[in-house]
Amino acid sequence: MRPFVLALALLKPVAMDGALLAEVIPEVLIIEKQEELALNDIERLTKEAEKAEEATNYQKAVELLNESLELQKKYLNETHPAVQYILLSLGRLYKKQGLYQKAEESYLRALAIREEVYGEIHPDVARTLSLLGAFYQGQGLYQKAEESYLRALAIREEVYGEIHPDVAFSLVFLAGFYEGQGLYQKAEIYFLRALAIQEEVYGEIHDDVGGTLRWLGLVYKKQGLYQQAEEAYLRALGIQEKTFGEDHPNVAITLVSLASFYESQGLYQQAEESYLRALAIQEKTLGIDHPDVAFSLASLAGFYEGQGLYQKAEESYLRALAIQEEVYGKIHDDVGRTLRRLGLVYRKKGFYQKAEESYLRALAIQEKVYGKMHPDVAFSLASLAGFYEGQGLYQQAEEAYQRALVIQEEVFGENHPEVVATLFWLGYMNRSQSKYKDSYLSYRRSLESLLSLIQRELPYMPIENRQFFQRGMSDFYGIPFSLFEFVFDRKSKSLKRLALFLRLNRHGLLEEIEKRQAALAGTQIKIVQELRGIIRSLSLITLDIEERKELILRRDKLERKLYRLLPALKPRIVEVDQIAKVIPHNGVLIEFQRYQPLNVTKLDGVKLEQASYLGLILKPSGELLSVNLGTAESIEQKIQQALFATEQRQANAQDLWNEVGDLIIKPLEDAIGDAETLFISPDAELNRVPFAALSSHKDDQLLGETINIRLLTTGRELLDLAKRSTLTKKQTLVVANPAFNLIKTFSGKQPSDLIPSNTSQQRSGDLSSLTWSPLPGTAKEGKVIAELTKAQLLTKNKATALAVQEQQEPPKVLHIASHAYYLPDQKHKK
């Protein structure tokens, strides 16, 4: 209880005693005065802290706020709104200093106070959760970030209803989070929902509507939907011009976004015009020495640098730098950021001394602003390392990389995208010097961190989002998505082995996580049943796009709930030697890999070379061989020809499959040796190849006639196959040749429309043409497979989706021989 409240409580029992009352009242007045003075001091300290923060003197700002906090503890209740404000401000400042544990403690303490004072359902609690979500997102703690954002959204919906500006605000935060994860379709759904709310509340002409449209443009741009992106950007621009007039700083902000879009499309004239118009507006309305002018100049400079117009880029950066130094002084983060970018321009111009001076000055500024253990300092060190690497100064480069790595691991821990990226580029530098041992060690640590990060975060995401998350994370942090071509090196045994390590641990990982979770999901029967119902509904082709979106959101929400109730999955890292030990003595493992060799430099970016296929052969002894199979184009073209000939029952079909065998099996003859069993893990288009029907690596027989073939998703499966599996008691299920002619009506078609018109074995088609005929070949296929595997066989009237869904337990193997269909892209409703 704070002193003032305590005094009032003591006052009540003696209120009837005039003498005693006279003695107590002065005491109360003193306490009231002390509280008033304390509040004045707190306000003064808070304002001083704000000024210190503006000057990027974060340490002084923290000291002032902590002093204010001590006064609050002494004279105010700990739940006072001023305490909450100070805690949130401290969280922000600790975050800026890279003191993430202290930042989290401050945010969580503020959250706990607000929940205690207001209850768990309150707008202030939602605001704190949004801040906490942004904090977790920056740490790569994506599960915690999403939970915070979703909880904030749920609170606002409960407090305000579904149509309210604060709900739209939460939706924008959440959509931005999904955009950062590469979940663009999901981000689009939430941005569109926010947009609908804002248009209903404010009308179509409002600044908030324009801001959301600008975000939506970015999402469309990243999905490659360029027409929709341009429409969103131009609509945002039109709204702001109508709202504020054509010469307003808010219009300039949208023009910069539009310019960046045009730049990404190679529309350089339109891009430059938009950048220059934004700059002119800001100079006219804000003055030529305004920080926003410096920002636009830096954006324009980046555009010129990308076009190779280095002189123009240098001039724009120098103008931006002069403004920032005038406004902020020479020690400011914006000054450091501009110097770092200027260093790249000098480097590309060949002015290496100027480049180094710029990089070092940027580093010194950030160390002074943030201290030496901050992520931004690590980023500057990595930029400096790239410069030294480009000059062939490898020792200096390595020292800078290692310093960056120490900071990142201290701040983020070992399993963070920035740690992965720094280790990766350190490995790449060592590989370019043929220092294969050092390269292996860095690459290996990078891959272990990446795999651990993926296995930590993915189990809590809806299944549909997982692949996009991997890609989004890789793109955002500059980690090449397909790492195989980097870690594989024919000259180095250790790097060849590392390439197989990556393949074994990453290929099929999403499917394995899903399978492991499915095995645990039986404990949550109610949620699982509800999920199955939604999935059945999603399979209906009569759904319109809005119904489908709503069902997808419900499914994702249920999946997140289910996965958070399940026991955590232990990360699983598989070693090459573990796999070798479980390969039978008379067998070999073949891991096929499609890869695209890349020439990468940090200065010039990525240049793609011709894609190829590789065969990695692992023997029980642990011996690893690699065989280059040739270009992907030639192999995939031959596979397409063979598949078409088979579909059309052409006489030369087998000859074409023999030619495929000559391309992908014959070159492996020496590596296969006398093996009696091949464990094959295909990749890309090789997944469509019937390996048993290919020509063998020896004699004039088919591969299936000369050797035992076992197809695997990944060689990692051999570990599970080596153990006793409960699956051995389960039955295989074969579904073949469904009776499509039993359908009563389908999109207005009559049964007569679905009567077979030919005997083609084509199994896919566009629903718009819907003449689905029986597949007599699949009836034979199903019967043979059922006999070979002693499976339950469902054909004709019994071969239905419902029959598969109602199986008592998942089958050991499910084989479906049937038609397939696809839904064409559908336009969004206006």
Side-chain angles (χ1 to χ4, degrees):
M1 185 176 290
R2 61 181 178 155
F4 180 52
V5 176
L6 176 62
L8 289 176
L10 290 172
L11 182 61
K12 289 180 181 178
V14 297
M16 300 302 294
D17 187 330
L20 287 175
L21 181 60
E23 292 178 12
V24 172
I25 286 176
E27 182 75 17
V28 173
L29 293 175
I30 290 169
I31 292 171
E32 283 182 327
K33 188 65 177 176
Q34 286 177 334
E35 184 177 84
E36 183 183 342
L37 292 171
L39 284 170
N40 289 337
D41 281 343
I42 288 165
E43 185 179 358
R44 175 182 56 78
L45 289 167
T46 302
K47 286 181 178 178
E48 288 180 15
E50 287 172 357
K51 288 181 182 178
E53 183 178 356
E54 285 175 11
T56 67
N57 192 343
Y58 301 129
Q59 186 56 41
K60 183 180 178 183
V62 166
E63 289 170 0
L64 289 165
L65 287 179
N66 276 320
E67 188 179 342
S68 172
L69 201 59
E70 287 302 314
L71 284 173
Q72 290 170 9
K73 284 180 183 177
K74 187 173 181 181
Y75 294 106
L76 304 177
N77 190 306
E78 284 195 358
T79 60
H80 194 283
V83 176
Q84 300 167 28
Y85 173 79
I86 295 297
L87 286 168
L88 292 173
S89 299
L90 280 169
R92 182 181 67 249
L93 285 164
Y94 284 137
K95 179 182 172 183
K96 285 184 175 182
Q97 289 181 291
L99 302 171
Y100 294 116
Q101 187 175 344
K102 286 187 174 183
E104 183 180 19
E105 288 170 358
S106 295
Y107 282 131
L108 289 174
R109 192 172 154 209
L111 178 63
I113 290 171
R114 286 188 163 175
E115 287 176 331
E116 182 185 341
V117 173
Y118 307 123
E120 292 190 353
I121 308 300
H122 190 277
D124 281 0
V125 174
R127 276 190 283 275
T128 309
L129 283 164
S130 293
L131 291 172
L132 191 60
F135 168 75
Y136 284 137
Q137 185 178 349
Q139 307 319 297
L141 300 170
Y142 304 114
Q143 177 204 345
K144 287 185 174 183
E146 186 179 29
E147 287 174 353
S148 299
Y149 286 136
L150 286 170
R151 198 179 147 208
L153 174 61
I155 290 169
R156 285 172 171 141
E157 287 178 329
E158 186 165 341
V159 171
Y160 300 120
E162 292 194 353
I163 307 299
H164 191 277
D166 281 11
V167 173
F169 179 79
S170 235
L171 287 164
V172 168
F173 255 81
L174 190 58
F177 166 73
Y178 288 133
E179 184 274 324
Q181 308 313 301
L183 307 175
Y184 303 126
Q185 290 182 343
K186 199 161 188 179
E188 179 189 352
I189 290 170
Y190 282 97
F191 277 132
L192 286 171
R193 198 179 145 202
L195 187 65
I197 293 169
Q198 291 164 338
E199 287 177 332
E200 184 166 338
V201 173
Y202 302 124
E204 292 190 354
I205 307 300
H206 189 275
D207 189 35
D208 283 6
V209 173
T212 301
L213 281 165
R214 194 165 60 238
W215 269 105
L216 197 55
L218 176 64
V219 170
Y220 286 139
K221 170 186 165 185
K222 290 194 173 182
Q223 290 182 87
L225 303 171
Y226 301 122
Q227 183 179 345
Q228 288 169 267
E230 185 175 23
E231 287 172 359
Y233 282 128
L234 289 174
R235 193 181 153 208
L237 182 64
I239 288 168
Q240 289 176 325
E241 287 177 333
K242 285 180 183 177
T243 304
F244 304 110
E246 292 190 356
D247 293 331
H248 190 276
N250 285 15
V251 173
I253 292 170
T254 301
L255 280 167
V256 170
S257 297
L258 182 63
S260 177
F261 166 73
Y262 284 139
E263 184 181 351
S264 71
Q265 303 311 296
L267 302 172
Y268 301 125
Q269 183 177 342
Q270 292 98 313
E272 185 176 19
E273 287 171 357
S274 296
Y275 278 128
L276 289 172
R277 188 184 157 202
L279 182 62
I281 289 170
Q282 289 170 326
E283 289 178 329
K284 180 180 177 181
T285 57
L286 303 174
I288 61 172
D289 293 328
H290 193 277
D292 286 0
V293 172
F295 175 81
S296 281
L297 281 165
S299 299
L300 181 64
F303 165 74
Y304 286 140
E305 182 265 317
Q307 306 315 302
L309 303 171
Y310 302 130
Q311 186 59 35
K312 283 189 172 184
E314 180 186 357
E315 290 168 1
S316 295
Y317 275 136
L318 287 172
R319 262 197 72 195
L321 187 64
I323 294 169
Q324 290 163 341
E325 289 180 330
E326 178 68 26
V327 173
Y328 301 126
K330 293 185 181 294
I331 306 300
H332 191 277
D333 185 40
D334 283 2
V335 174
R337 194 176 295 113
T338 302
L339 281 165
R340 191 169 62 231
R341 292 172 180 172
L342 185 61
L344 178 62
V345 171
Y346 284 141
R347 180 181 169 191
K348 287 190 172 184
K349 288 181 75 174
F351 295 171
Y352 300 123
Q353 184 176 344
K354 283 189 173 183
E356 185 177 19
E357 288 171 358
S358 295
Y359 282 128
L360 289 173
R361 192 180 153 205
L363 177 62
I365 287 169
Q366 289 179 318
E367 287 180 331
K368 193 159 188 179
V369 169
Y370 297 121
K372 293 194 174 182
M373 297 298 289
H374 190 278
D376 282 8
V377 172
F379 187 81
S380 279
L381 282 164
S383 299
L384 182 63
F387 165 73
Y388 285 139
E389 182 182 346
Q391 305 313 300
L393 302 171
Y394 296 120
Q395 185 175 342
Q396 291 98 312
E398 179 153 4
E399 288 171 359
Y401 274 133
Q402 293 289 2
R403 266 194 68 195
L405 194 59
V406 167
I407 295 168
Q408 290 164 341
E409 288 184 326
E410 174 71 22
V411 170
F412 298 122
E414 292 183 356
N415 301 327
H416 188 276
E418 291 191 14
V419 174
V420 174
T422 301
L423 281 165
F424 180 84
W425 290 114
L426 182 58
Y428 184 75
M429 181 187 74
N430 284 322
R431 175 184 164 186
S432 66
Q433 300 172 72
S434 299
K435 293 169 65 176
Y436 294 118
K437 183 178 178 182
D438 291 338
S439 179
Y440 170 83
L441 293 173
S442 295
Y443 273 147
R444 169 73 192 218
R445 282 180 62 198
S446 176
L447 295 182
E448 285 182 358
S449 294
L450 178 64
L451 291 165
S452 297
L453 171 64
I454 289 171
Q455 292 188 57
R456 182 188 76 197
E457 295 295 330
L458 286 187
Y460 300 100
M461 292 185 174
I463 291 168
E464 189 178 62
N465 297 348
R466 294 174 179 180
Q467 184 70 34
F468 296 106
F469 166 75
Q470 289 190 90
R471 290 183 180 274
M473 182 191 66
S474 301
D475 293 343
F476 186 79
Y477 287 97
I479 308 163
F481 177 70
S482 182
L483 296 169
F484 185 92
E485 45 264 36
F486 286 87
V487 300
F488 176 74
D489 194 311
R490 298 180 66 84
K491 298 175 185 176
S492 166
K493 288 182 180 179
S494 62
L495 292 184
K496 278 195 291 188
R497 202 168 190 81
L498 191 63
L500 180 58
F501 168 82
L502 174 60
R503 165 93 188 169
L504 288 170
N505 280 283
R506 191 161 182 177
H507 192 65
L509 179 59
L510 302 186
E511 292 84 351
E512 180 183 300
I513 289 173
E514 185 178 345
K515 184 178 174 182
R516 289 170 68 188
Q517 288 185 311
L520 298 168
T523 58
Q524 303 295 332
I525 297 170
K526 186 177 178 182
I527 298 177
V528 170
Q529 287 175 339
E530 193 175 347
L531 264 174
R532 284 176 179 167
I534 292 173
I535 291 167
R536 277 197 292 270
S537 298
L538 281 169
S539 68
L540 297 174
I541 59 173
T542 53
L543 287 175
D544 66 31
I545 192 166
E546 295 304 323
E547 290 173 319
R548 189 171 295 280
K549 279 183 179 179
E550 182 61 31
L551 282 172
I552 287 171
L553 289 176
R554 281 177 57 199
R555 181 201 62 193
D556 289 355
K557 188 175 181 180
L558 274 176
E559 283 184 350
R560 279 192 298 269
K561 183 178 179 181
L562 172 63
Y563 298 144
R564 284 163 189 162
L565 290 172
L566 298 180
L569 296 180
K570 275 183 146 185
R572 184 189 189 198
I573 304 293
V574 171
E575 301 294 342
V576 173
D577 288 341
Q578 284 179 269
I579 304 299
K581 286 176 182 175
V582 296
I583 299 173
H585 72 279
N586 60 351
V588 297
L589 169 65
I590 302 174
E591 290 275 358
F592 287 105
Q593 176 76 48
R594 188 187 196 275
Y595 74 109
Q596 191 157 15
L598 306 179
N599 283 327
V600 178
T601 67
K602 292 198 174 175
L603 199 58
D604 300 319
V606 178
K607 294 180 181 176
L608 301 177
E609 294 185 354
Q610 200 168 20
S612 299
Y613 277 96
L614 186 76
L616 289 172
I617 299 91
L618 181 65
K619 298 189 175 184
S621 63
E623 182 185 5
L624 174 62
L625 302 169
S626 67
V627 179
N628 190 358
L629 301 173
T631 65
E633 183 181 6
S634 60
I635 292 171
E636 289 168 359
Q637 188 178 51
K638 189 62 67 178
I639 291 172
Q640 291 292 338
Q641 291 171 359
L643 285 168
F644 180 79
T646 302
E647 289 285 348
Q648 299 301 314
R649 299 184 178 182
Q650 294 176 2
N652 67 336
Q654 185 57 57
D655 292 335
L656 289 168
W657 285 122
N658 288 342
E659 290 176 25
V660 173
D662 290 342
L663 290 173
I664 66 174
I665 297 298
K666 191 70 174 174
L668 306 179
E669 181 176 358
D670 292 340
I672 294 172
D674 297 326
E676 298 175 11
T677 301
L678 296 183
F679 297 94
I680 298 176
S681 170
D683 192 33
E685 286 298 295
L686 299 192
N687 281 293
R688 305 179 69 192
V689 170
F691 282 90
L694 303 184
S695 57
S696 174
H697 55 297
K698 55 185 178 181
D699 305 325
D700 292 326
Q701 296 175 286
L702 299 180
L703 186 62
E705 296 172 339
T706 60
I707 199 165
N708 295 318
I709 299 172
R710 300 287 183 270
L711 289 180
L712 307 169
T713 300
T714 166
R716 191 172 63 251
E717 292 177 357
L718 287 170
L719 292 173
D720 297 324
L721 292 173
K723 300 173 185 175
R724 245 179 217 190
S725 175
T726 56
L727 289 175
T728 55
K729 296 180 182 178
K730 295 182 181 178
Q731 191 175 23
T732 295
L733 177 63
V734 176
V735 182
N737 195 29
F740 291 105
N741 60 327
L742 291 181
I743 300 174
K744 299 295 181 187
T745 58
F746 194 84
S747 298
K749 293 185 180 286
Q750 299 300 315
S752 58
D753 296 320
L754 299 172
I755 293 174
S757 57
N758 57 59
T759 56
S760 169
Q761 285 294 291
Q762 182 178 347
R763 300 192 193 186
S764 62
D766 186 339
L767 280 176
S768 62
S769 61
L770 260 180
T771 302
W772 284 359
S773 55
L775 299 168
T778 65
K780 296 176 184 177
E781 175 185 327
K783 185 178 178 182
V784 170
I785 290 172
E787 288 174 355
L788 286 172
T789 61
K790 298 179 181 178
Q792 177 188 0
L793 176 63
L794 300 177
T795 62
K796 297 186 178 178
N797 303 355
K798 294 180 180 179
T800 65
L802 190 60
V804 175
Q805 292 167 357
E806 290 181 345
Q807 292 291 306
Q808 291 295 317
E809 59 179 6
K812 178 180 178 182
V813 176
L814 173 62
H815 181 94
I816 300 177
S818 173
H819 283 290
Y821 68 85
Y822 68 90
L823 289 171
D825 293 337
Q826 300 181 36
K827 292 183 179 178
H828 295 298
K829 291 182 178 179
K830 297 288 186 184

